[in-house]
Amino acid sequence: MTVIHFQDFGKTHQVALKQIERCNVLVIGNTGVGKTSLIRTITQTRLSTRRTDVIPKKPYTPLNIPIRLYDTPGLEREKNQVRQVKKDIFQLIKSKKKQEPKEQIHIVWFCINAFTTRESDIDIDWIEKLSKKIPVIMVITRSLSQEKSNFIRHLESNLENLKIRSVIPILAESQESNNGKINPFGLDKLQFQTEKLLDEIADKATQNSVNAMAEKAFGWCRDACGKIFTLQASLHFFPVPFAQTLTVPFLQARMIKSICKDFKYTNAANEELMSISAIVGLDGFFELILRNLPIDYNNIQNLHDILSTLCSTIQQSLDGLPFTDGLVDAISTLADSDFMSTIPILTAISGLANTLSVWFLGYVLIESLKEYKLAEYKGEAPPNLQILVTEKIQFIQTSMQQAILVSPA
Ligand SMILES: Nc1nc2c(ncn2[C@@H]2O[C@H](COP(=O)(O)OP(=O)(O)OP(=O)(O)O)[C@@H](O)[C@H]2O)c(=O)[nH]1
Ligand SMILES: [Mg+2]
Protein backbone atom coordinates (compact mmCIF):
# COMPACT_ATOMS: atom_id res chain seq x y z
CA MET A 1 0.00 0.00 0.00
CA THR A 2 1.40 3.42 -0.91
CA VAL A 3 1.59 5.85 1.95
CA ILE A 4 0.67 9.39 1.00
CA HIS A 5 2.91 11.68 2.98
CA PHE A 6 1.89 15.21 4.04
CA GLN A 7 -1.71 14.29 3.18
CA ASP A 8 -3.26 16.50 5.85
CA PHE A 9 -0.56 19.18 5.72
CA GLY A 10 -1.73 22.54 7.05
CA LYS A 11 -5.15 21.37 8.21
CA THR A 12 -4.43 22.62 11.73
CA HIS A 13 -3.14 26.01 10.49
CA GLN A 14 -5.97 27.32 8.36
CA VAL A 15 -5.50 30.97 9.32
CA ALA A 16 -1.89 30.94 8.18
CA LEU A 17 -2.72 29.06 5.01
CA LYS A 18 -5.38 31.59 4.16
CA GLN A 19 -2.60 34.15 3.90
CA ILE A 20 0.02 32.14 2.03
CA GLU A 21 -2.25 29.62 0.29
CA ARG A 22 0.55 27.04 0.31
CA CYS A 23 3.96 26.55 1.87
CA ASN A 24 6.85 27.01 -0.55
CA VAL A 25 9.87 24.96 0.48
CA LEU A 26 13.38 25.30 -0.89
CA VAL A 27 15.24 22.00 -0.62
CA ILE A 28 19.00 22.56 -0.34
CA GLY A 29 21.99 20.31 0.32
CA ASN A 30 25.11 18.65 -1.05
CA THR A 31 25.14 16.58 -4.23
CA GLY A 32 23.58 13.16 -3.86
CA VAL A 33 22.27 13.83 -0.38
CA GLY A 34 18.73 12.87 -1.46
CA LYS A 35 16.93 16.16 -2.19
CA THR A 36 15.24 14.93 -5.35
CA SER A 37 14.38 11.59 -3.69
CA LEU A 38 12.68 13.42 -0.81
CA ILE A 39 10.66 15.52 -3.24
CA ARG A 40 9.81 12.42 -5.25
CA THR A 41 8.46 10.69 -2.15
CA ILE A 42 6.27 13.60 -1.08
CA THR A 43 4.95 14.37 -4.55
CA GLN A 44 4.51 10.68 -5.50
CA THR A 45 6.04 11.42 -8.88
CA ARG A 46 8.64 9.61 -10.91
CA LEU A 47 11.22 12.38 -10.82
CA SER A 48 14.55 11.30 -12.21
CA THR A 49 17.36 11.32 -9.66
CA ARG A 50 19.86 12.24 -12.36
CA ARG A 51 22.04 15.02 -11.01
CA THR A 52 20.01 18.22 -10.69
CA ASP A 53 22.00 20.90 -12.57
CA VAL A 54 19.87 24.03 -12.36
CA ILE A 55 17.02 25.17 -10.13
CA PRO A 56 13.98 23.83 -12.02
CA LYS A 57 11.75 26.63 -13.32
CA LYS A 58 8.68 25.23 -11.59
CA PRO A 59 8.32 23.79 -8.11
CA TYR A 60 6.93 20.30 -7.65
CA THR A 61 3.41 20.09 -6.20
CA PRO A 62 1.80 17.04 -4.69
CA LEU A 63 -1.83 16.58 -5.68
CA ASN A 64 -4.24 18.52 -3.42
CA ILE A 65 -1.61 19.24 -0.76
CA PRO A 66 -0.79 22.92 -0.07
CA ILE A 67 2.95 22.59 -0.36
CA ARG A 68 5.36 23.39 -3.16
CA LEU A 69 8.85 21.98 -3.29
CA TYR A 70 11.71 23.73 -5.07
CA ASP A 71 14.55 21.38 -5.98
CA THR A 72 18.08 22.81 -6.21
CA PRO A 73 21.41 21.57 -7.59
CA GLY A 74 23.88 20.04 -5.13
CA LEU A 75 26.51 22.19 -3.50
CA GLU A 76 29.49 19.85 -3.35
CA ARG A 77 31.12 20.59 -6.63
CA GLU A 78 33.69 22.81 -8.18
CA LYS A 79 34.04 26.03 -6.15
CA ASN A 80 32.85 28.40 -8.85
CA GLN A 81 29.75 26.37 -9.43
CA VAL A 82 28.92 26.25 -5.73
CA ARG A 83 29.23 30.02 -5.67
CA GLN A 84 26.87 30.25 -8.64
CA VAL A 85 24.30 27.90 -7.07
CA LYS A 86 24.33 29.89 -3.83
CA LYS A 87 23.95 33.11 -5.78
CA ASP A 88 21.01 31.67 -7.75
CA ILE A 89 19.34 30.53 -4.53
CA PHE A 90 19.68 33.97 -2.91
CA GLN A 91 18.46 35.60 -6.08
CA LEU A 92 15.40 33.35 -6.13
CA ILE A 93 14.58 34.16 -2.49
CA LYS A 94 15.12 37.88 -3.05
CA SER A 95 13.07 38.23 -6.21
CA LYS A 96 10.15 36.27 -4.76
CA LYS A 97 10.20 38.28 -1.54
CA LYS A 98 8.72 41.24 -3.41
CA GLN A 99 5.78 39.23 -4.69
CA GLU A 100 2.48 38.15 -3.17
CA PRO A 101 2.74 36.06 0.06
CA LYS A 102 1.81 32.86 -1.81
CA GLU A 103 4.71 33.30 -4.24
CA GLN A 104 7.50 33.75 -1.71
CA ILE A 105 9.98 31.14 -0.55
CA HIS A 106 8.79 30.37 2.97
CA ILE A 107 11.17 27.83 4.43
CA VAL A 108 14.40 25.94 3.73
CA TRP A 109 14.87 22.24 4.31
CA PHE A 110 18.62 21.98 4.55
CA CYS A 111 19.53 18.36 3.86
CA ILE A 112 22.65 16.71 5.20
CA ASN A 113 23.61 13.10 4.84
CA ALA A 114 23.23 10.76 7.84
CA PHE A 115 26.89 9.81 7.45
CA THR A 116 27.91 13.32 8.47
CA THR A 117 29.35 13.19 11.96
CA ARG A 118 31.14 16.49 12.43
CA GLU A 119 29.82 20.00 12.71
CA SER A 120 32.77 21.20 10.63
CA ASP A 121 31.35 19.22 7.69
CA ILE A 122 28.29 21.45 7.64
CA ASP A 123 28.38 24.79 5.86
CA ILE A 124 27.43 26.79 8.96
CA ASP A 125 28.07 30.22 7.35
CA TRP A 126 25.69 29.43 4.55
CA ILE A 127 23.00 28.23 6.96
CA GLU A 128 23.42 31.37 9.02
CA LYS A 129 23.05 33.59 5.95
CA LEU A 130 19.93 31.73 4.88
CA SER A 131 18.38 31.75 8.33
CA LYS A 132 18.55 35.55 8.42
CA LYS A 133 16.07 35.51 5.55
CA ILE A 134 13.87 32.47 6.24
CA PRO A 135 13.51 29.66 8.79
CA VAL A 136 15.75 26.65 8.22
CA ILE A 137 14.96 23.06 9.22
CA MET A 138 17.83 20.58 9.07
CA VAL A 139 16.87 17.27 7.48
CA ILE A 140 19.21 14.33 8.07
CA THR A 141 18.68 12.27 4.92
CA ARG A 142 19.23 8.56 4.30
CA SER A 143 19.07 7.80 8.00
CA LEU A 144 19.08 4.10 8.77
CA SER A 145 17.76 4.29 12.29
CA GLN A 146 15.17 6.31 14.13
CA GLU A 147 17.44 6.35 17.12
CA LYS A 148 19.17 9.67 17.56
CA SER A 149 22.91 9.56 16.99
CA ASN A 150 25.29 11.54 19.18
CA PHE A 151 25.74 13.97 16.35
CA ILE A 152 22.00 14.63 16.09
CA ARG A 153 21.82 15.13 19.85
CA HIS A 154 24.69 17.58 19.57
CA LEU A 155 22.87 19.49 16.81
CA GLU A 156 19.64 19.53 18.81
CA SER A 157 21.32 21.01 21.82
CA ASN A 158 22.79 23.78 19.66
CA LEU A 159 19.77 24.84 17.63
CA GLU A 160 20.15 28.50 18.51
CA ASN A 161 23.88 28.70 17.77
CA LEU A 162 23.42 26.89 14.49
CA LYS A 163 20.48 29.10 13.56
CA ILE A 164 18.25 26.15 12.75
CA ARG A 165 14.72 25.46 14.00
CA SER A 166 14.84 21.68 14.30
CA VAL A 167 16.77 18.57 13.24
CA ILE A 168 14.83 15.71 11.66
CA PRO A 169 16.28 12.36 10.61
CA ILE A 170 14.42 10.81 7.68
CA LEU A 171 14.56 7.99 5.21
CA ALA A 172 12.64 9.02 2.11
CA GLU A 173 12.74 5.69 0.27
CA SER A 174 13.01 2.20 1.68
CA GLN A 175 16.52 0.84 2.02
CA GLU A 176 17.98 -2.65 2.18
CA SER A 177 20.37 -3.22 5.05
CA ASN A 178 22.13 -6.15 6.71
CA ASN A 179 19.15 -6.44 9.01
CA GLY A 180 16.61 -6.45 6.20
CA LYS A 181 14.50 -3.75 4.63
CA ILE A 182 14.12 -0.41 6.41
CA ASN A 183 10.89 1.40 5.67
CA PRO A 184 10.75 5.16 5.09
CA PHE A 185 10.32 7.22 8.26
CA GLY A 186 10.54 10.74 9.64
CA LEU A 187 8.31 12.47 7.09
CA ASP A 188 5.53 12.89 9.65
CA LYS A 189 7.96 14.74 11.92
CA LEU A 190 9.14 16.89 9.03
CA GLN A 191 5.51 17.77 8.34
CA PHE A 192 4.85 18.58 11.99
CA GLN A 193 7.90 20.82 12.40
CA THR A 194 7.14 22.64 9.15
CA GLU A 195 3.51 23.19 10.17
CA LYS A 196 4.68 24.56 13.51
CA LEU A 197 6.32 27.43 11.64
CA LEU A 198 3.35 28.30 9.43
CA ASP A 199 2.00 31.15 11.59
CA GLU A 200 5.39 32.82 11.69
CA ILE A 201 5.86 32.21 7.97
CA ALA A 202 2.51 33.76 7.09
CA ASP A 203 3.22 36.79 9.23
CA LYS A 204 6.57 37.38 7.61
CA ALA A 205 5.36 36.75 4.07
CA THR A 206 2.51 39.25 4.33
CA GLN A 207 4.85 41.83 5.89
CA ASN A 208 7.33 41.30 3.04
CA SER A 209 4.59 41.88 0.48
CA VAL A 210 3.27 45.10 2.00
CA ASN A 211 6.80 46.39 2.52
CA ALA A 212 7.61 45.78 -1.13
CA MET A 213 4.42 47.62 -2.16
CA ALA A 214 5.28 50.51 0.17
CA GLU A 215 8.79 50.78 -1.21
CA LYS A 216 7.43 51.05 -4.73
CA ALA A 217 4.76 53.51 -3.66
CA PHE A 218 7.32 55.83 -2.04
CA GLY A 219 8.69 56.39 -5.53
CA TRP A 220 5.44 58.23 -6.38
CA CYS A 221 5.75 60.26 -3.21
CA ARG A 222 9.26 61.38 -4.12
CA ASP A 223 8.27 62.06 -7.70
CA ALA A 224 5.28 64.23 -6.77
CA CYS A 225 7.16 66.15 -4.08
CA GLY A 226 10.16 66.80 -6.31
CA LYS A 227 7.92 68.25 -9.00
CA ILE A 228 5.77 70.23 -6.57
CA PHE A 229 8.73 71.73 -4.81
CA THR A 230 10.49 72.78 -8.02
CA LEU A 231 7.25 74.31 -9.21
CA GLN A 232 6.58 76.11 -5.93
CA ALA A 233 10.12 77.37 -5.58
CA SER A 234 10.19 78.67 -9.13
CA LEU A 235 7.00 80.69 -8.47
CA HIS A 236 9.19 83.13 -6.59
CA PHE A 237 11.56 83.72 -9.48
CA PHE A 238 9.38 83.62 -12.55
CA PRO A 239 5.94 84.97 -13.22
CA VAL A 240 3.89 81.83 -13.64
CA PRO A 241 0.58 81.76 -15.42
CA PHE A 242 -2.37 80.98 -13.16
CA ALA A 243 -3.03 77.66 -14.88
CA GLN A 244 0.30 76.28 -13.75
CA THR A 245 -0.59 76.54 -10.09
CA LEU A 246 -3.31 74.01 -10.79
CA THR A 247 -0.68 71.34 -11.28
CA VAL A 248 -0.17 70.96 -7.52
CA PRO A 249 -3.57 69.34 -6.90
CA PHE A 250 -3.14 67.45 -10.13
CA LEU A 251 0.23 66.02 -9.04
CA GLN A 252 -1.16 65.21 -5.60
CA ALA A 253 -4.17 63.39 -7.06
CA ARG A 254 -1.92 61.46 -9.43
CA MET A 255 0.31 60.45 -6.52
CA ILE A 256 -2.68 59.13 -4.54
CA LYS A 257 -3.97 57.15 -7.49
CA SER A 258 -0.58 55.62 -8.22
CA ILE A 259 0.08 54.68 -4.59
CA CYS A 260 -3.33 52.95 -4.42
CA LYS A 261 -2.52 51.11 -7.61
CA ASP A 262 0.79 49.83 -6.20
CA PHE A 263 -1.19 48.35 -3.29
CA LYS A 264 -3.69 46.89 -5.73
CA TYR A 265 -6.32 48.96 -3.93
CA THR A 266 -8.46 48.98 -6.99
CA ASN A 267 -11.90 48.87 -5.44
CA ALA A 268 -11.66 52.54 -4.47
CA ALA A 269 -14.26 54.73 -6.06
CA ASN A 270 -12.93 57.94 -7.57
CA GLU A 271 -14.84 59.95 -4.97
CA GLU A 272 -13.00 58.15 -2.20
CA LEU A 273 -9.63 59.03 -3.72
CA MET A 274 -10.81 62.60 -4.22
CA SER A 275 -11.86 62.89 -0.60
CA ILE A 276 -8.50 61.58 0.55
CA SER A 277 -6.82 64.16 -1.62
CA ALA A 278 -9.07 66.79 -0.04
CA ILE A 279 -7.60 66.04 3.39
CA VAL A 280 -5.19 68.90 3.08
CA GLY A 281 -5.00 71.96 5.26
CA LEU A 282 -1.59 70.69 6.16
CA ASP A 283 0.16 73.50 4.23
CA GLY A 284 -0.70 76.14 6.78
CA PHE A 285 0.18 73.78 9.58
CA PHE A 286 3.64 73.10 8.22
CA GLU A 287 4.29 76.75 7.51
CA LEU A 288 3.55 77.44 11.19
CA ILE A 289 5.82 74.59 12.29
CA LEU A 290 8.65 75.73 10.02
CA ARG A 291 8.47 79.32 11.23
CA ASN A 292 8.53 78.18 14.86
CA LEU A 293 11.50 75.88 14.66
CA PRO A 294 14.25 76.52 17.22
CA ILE A 295 16.50 77.97 14.56
CA ASP A 296 18.17 81.32 13.90
CA TYR A 297 16.90 82.11 10.42
CA ASN A 298 19.51 84.83 9.97
CA ASN A 299 22.36 82.40 10.27
CA ILE A 300 21.36 79.40 8.20
CA GLN A 301 22.51 78.75 4.68
CA ASN A 302 19.83 76.81 2.87
CA LEU A 303 16.71 74.69 3.08
CA HIS A 304 18.72 71.62 3.90
CA ASP A 305 19.54 73.23 7.27
CA ILE A 306 15.88 73.89 8.00
CA LEU A 307 14.93 70.32 7.20
CA SER A 308 17.76 68.94 9.33
CA THR A 309 16.56 71.04 12.26
CA LEU A 310 13.01 69.86 11.64
CA CYS A 311 14.27 66.25 11.72
CA SER A 312 16.15 66.59 14.99
CA THR A 313 13.28 68.52 16.57
CA ILE A 314 10.81 65.79 15.62
CA GLN A 315 13.19 63.08 16.77
CA GLN A 316 13.70 64.71 20.18
CA SER A 317 10.17 65.80 20.84
CA LEU A 318 8.24 62.87 19.38
CA ASP A 319 10.62 60.14 20.48
CA GLY A 320 8.95 56.74 20.70
CA LEU A 321 5.71 57.62 18.92
CA PRO A 322 4.69 55.18 16.21
CA PHE A 323 5.23 57.63 13.36
CA THR A 324 8.48 59.26 14.37
CA ASP A 325 11.03 57.12 12.54
CA GLY A 326 9.05 57.09 9.33
CA LEU A 327 8.56 60.85 9.36
CA VAL A 328 12.21 61.54 10.04
CA ASP A 329 13.24 59.20 7.22
CA ALA A 330 10.83 60.93 4.89
CA ILE A 331 12.10 64.42 5.70
CA SER A 332 15.75 63.31 5.54
CA THR A 333 15.19 62.00 2.03
CA LEU A 334 13.70 65.30 1.05
CA ALA A 335 16.55 67.20 2.73
CA ASP A 336 19.19 65.16 0.92
CA SER A 337 17.80 65.79 -2.54
CA ASP A 338 20.10 67.93 -4.70
CA PHE A 339 17.80 70.86 -5.30
CA MET A 340 17.34 71.50 -1.57
CA SER A 341 20.87 72.84 -1.18
CA THR A 342 20.48 75.31 -4.02
CA ILE A 343 17.26 77.04 -3.02
CA PRO A 344 17.51 80.29 -1.04
CA ILE A 345 15.65 80.20 2.25
CA LEU A 346 12.57 82.14 3.32
CA THR A 347 11.57 82.82 -0.29
CA ALA A 348 10.68 79.16 -0.49
CA ILE A 349 9.23 78.44 2.94
CA SER A 350 5.68 78.19 1.69
CA GLY A 351 6.77 75.98 -1.17
CA LEU A 352 8.49 73.77 1.34
CA ALA A 353 5.40 73.65 3.57
CA ASN A 354 3.35 72.68 0.54
CA THR A 355 5.78 69.94 -0.41
CA LEU A 356 5.94 68.59 3.14
CA SER A 357 2.17 68.39 3.33
CA VAL A 358 1.96 66.34 0.12
CA TRP A 359 4.81 64.14 1.33
CA PHE A 360 3.02 63.52 4.63
CA LEU A 361 -0.23 62.75 2.90
CA GLY A 362 1.59 60.21 0.71
CA TYR A 363 3.38 58.75 3.70
CA VAL A 364 0.21 58.43 5.76
CA LEU A 365 -1.68 56.92 2.85
CA ILE A 366 1.04 54.29 2.41
CA GLU A 367 1.00 53.44 6.14
CA SER A 368 -2.80 53.16 6.04
CA LEU A 369 -2.74 50.95 2.95
CA LYS A 370 -0.24 48.66 4.69
CA GLU A 371 -2.75 48.15 7.51
CA TYR A 372 -5.58 47.71 5.03
CA LYS A 373 -3.65 45.12 3.03
CA LEU A 374 -2.54 43.11 6.08
CA ALA A 375 -6.17 42.86 7.22
CA GLU A 376 -7.18 41.79 3.73
CA TYR A 377 -4.52 39.04 3.63
CA LYS A 378 -5.75 37.76 7.00
CA GLY A 379 -9.28 37.62 5.68
CA GLU A 380 -10.41 40.20 8.24
CA ALA A 381 -12.88 42.95 7.40
CA PRO A 382 -10.62 45.66 5.95
CA PRO A 383 -10.68 49.03 7.76
CA ASN A 384 -12.08 52.15 6.14
CA LEU A 385 -9.16 53.78 4.34
CA GLN A 386 -10.48 57.32 4.58
CA ILE A 387 -10.90 57.05 8.35
CA LEU A 388 -7.42 55.56 8.75
CA VAL A 389 -5.83 58.39 6.79
CA THR A 390 -7.74 61.10 8.66
CA GLU A 391 -6.94 59.63 12.08
CA LYS A 392 -3.26 59.35 11.32
CA ILE A 393 -3.01 62.92 10.03
CA GLN A 394 -4.83 64.25 13.07
CA PHE A 395 -2.54 62.27 15.31
CA ILE A 396 0.61 63.65 13.68
CA GLN A 397 -0.72 67.19 13.74
CA THR A 398 -1.66 67.07 17.41
CA SER A 399 1.59 65.43 18.48
CA MET A 400 3.77 67.82 16.50
CA GLN A 401 1.81 70.84 17.56
CA GLN A 402 2.12 69.91 21.21
CA ALA A 403 5.78 69.09 20.99
CA ILE A 404 7.07 71.84 18.75
CA LEU A 405 4.79 74.77 19.36
CA VAL A 406 4.19 74.31 23.07
CA SER A 407 7.60 73.16 24.32
CA PRO A 408 10.23 75.84 24.88
CA ALA A 409 12.75 76.15 22.05
N1 LIG B 1 17.10 3.95 -0.49
C1 LIG B 1 17.25 5.26 -0.49
N2 LIG B 1 18.02 5.86 -1.40
C2 LIG B 1 18.14 7.20 -1.38
C3 LIG B 1 17.44 7.98 -0.45
N3 LIG B 1 17.75 9.29 -0.68
C4 LIG B 1 18.60 9.28 -1.72
N4 LIG B 1 18.85 8.03 -2.16
C5 LIG B 1 19.69 7.61 -3.29
O1 LIG B 1 20.82 8.47 -3.39
C6 LIG B 1 21.07 8.84 -4.73
C7 LIG B 1 21.09 10.37 -4.85
O2 LIG B 1 19.82 10.88 -4.51
P1 LIG B 1 19.19 12.20 -5.13
O3 LIG B 1 17.85 12.30 -4.58
O4 LIG B 1 19.35 12.22 -6.60
O5 LIG B 1 20.17 13.28 -4.52
P2 LIG B 1 20.18 14.85 -4.81
O6 LIG B 1 20.44 15.50 -3.53
O7 LIG B 1 18.97 15.25 -5.55
O8 LIG B 1 21.47 15.00 -5.76
P3 LIG B 1 21.86 16.21 -6.76
O9 LIG B 1 20.66 16.53 -7.57
O10 LIG B 1 22.98 15.69 -7.59
O11 LIG B 1 22.32 17.32 -5.93
C8 LIG B 1 20.00 8.20 -5.57
O12 LIG B 1 20.52 7.05 -6.19
C9 LIG B 1 18.92 7.82 -4.59
O13 LIG B 1 18.23 6.66 -4.97
C10 LIG B 1 16.58 7.32 0.48
O14 LIG B 1 15.90 7.92 1.35
N5 LIG B 1 16.53 5.96 0.41
MG1 LIG C 1 18.69 16.23 -7.33
Side-chain angles (χ1 to χ4, degrees), residues 142-301:
R142 307 184 71 173
S143 299
L144 296 180
S145 159
Q146 304 214 33
E147 239 168 72
K148 287 180 184 168
S149 66
N150 286 340
F151 183 55
I152 291 179
R153 281 184 219 282
H154 164 75
L155 294 176
E156 281 185 337
S157 59
N158 277 294
L159 290 184
E160 215 162 295
N161 282 345
L162 297 168
K163 314 281 182 220
I164 48 179
R165 303 309 184 93
S166 49
V167 184
I168 303 157
I170 63 151
L171 180 67
E173 292 167 354
S174 60
Q175 169 92 43
E176 292 300 336
S177 79
N178 294 339
N179 304 324
K181 191 173 141 189
I182 308 170
N183 284 322
F185 66 87
L187 284 111
D188 51 343
K189 293 202 175 75
L190 182 57
Q191 172 180 342
F192 177 75
Q193 292 296 340
T194 304
E195 280 173 327
K196 238 172 85 175
L197 295 167
L198 282 178
D199 289 338
E200 177 189 334
I201 283 171
D203 217 42
K204 210 162 176 192
T206 47
Q207 280 293 346
N208 286 343
S209 289
V210 295
N211 288 344
M213 288 173 193
E215 206 176 296
K216 206 164 156 222
F218 271 123
W220 292 109
C221 231
R222 280 188 284 273
D223 177 66
C225 291
K227 290 196 170 104
I228 287 172
F229 186 76
T230 322
L231 178 74
Q232 295 285 294
S234 66
L235 284 176
H236 295 273
F237 305 115
F238 311 105
V240 179
F242 177 67
Q244 200 168 336
T245 58
L246 288 177
T247 43
V248 177
F250 168 76
L251 287 166
Q252 178 173 298
R254 197 182 64 171
M255 173 188 80
I256 291 169
K257 238 184 169 150
S258 310
I259 290 174
C260 288
K261 208 165 151 206
D262 281 342
F263 277 89
K264 301 190 183 76
Y265 182 75
T266 44
N267 50 341
N270 255 345
E271 306 83 70
E272 189 185 357
L273 298 184
M274 290 305 287
S275 62
I276 287 173
S277 103
I279 307 170
V280 269
L282 275 171
D283 310 27
F285 170 75
F286 276 113
E287 193 151 347
L288 196 67
I289 295 279
L290 288 171
R291 291 193 186 282
N292 281 281
L293 283 176
I295 191 169
D296 176 5
Y297 274 95
N298 297 318
N299 280 320
I300 49 167
Q301 301 301 316

Side-chain angles (χ1 to χ4, degrees), residues 385-404:
L385 193 68
Q386 233 172 295
I387 295 177
L388 274 186
V389 171
T390 317
E391 279 175 358
K392 286 192 199 319
I393 290 209
Q394 274 168 358
F395 177 79
I396 292 177
Q397 265 183 309
T398 319
S399 309
M400 280 183 78
Q401 221 150 7
Q402 273 170 3
I404 296 174

Side-chain angles (χ1 to χ4, degrees), residues 26 55 83-99 105 126 130 133:
L26 195 60
I55 302 177
R83 212 172 293 141
Q84 187 59 44
V85 172
K86 287 184 176 177
K87 215 169 129 192
D88 289 348
I89 288 175
F90 266 126
Q91 193 50 43
L92 180 76
I93 295 173
K94 194 174 157 196
S95 66
K96 292 201 168 268
K97 196 176 162 188
K98 295 187 180 134
Q99 300 179 15
I105 300 293
W126 171 228
L130 283 166
K133 316 221 170 276

Side-chain angles (χ1 to χ4, degrees), residues 29-38 40 49-52 71-75 77 141-142 170-175:
N30 285 352
T31 304
V33 78
K35 301 177 291 293
T36 307
S37 305
L38 170 60
R40 190 166 56 181
T49 47
R50 257 188 33 221
R51 213 166 86 163
T52 313
D71 203 354
T72 60
L75 289 166
R77 292 192 208 162
T141 51
R142 307 184 71 173
I170 63 151
L171 180 67
E173 292 167 354
S174 60
Q175 169 92 43

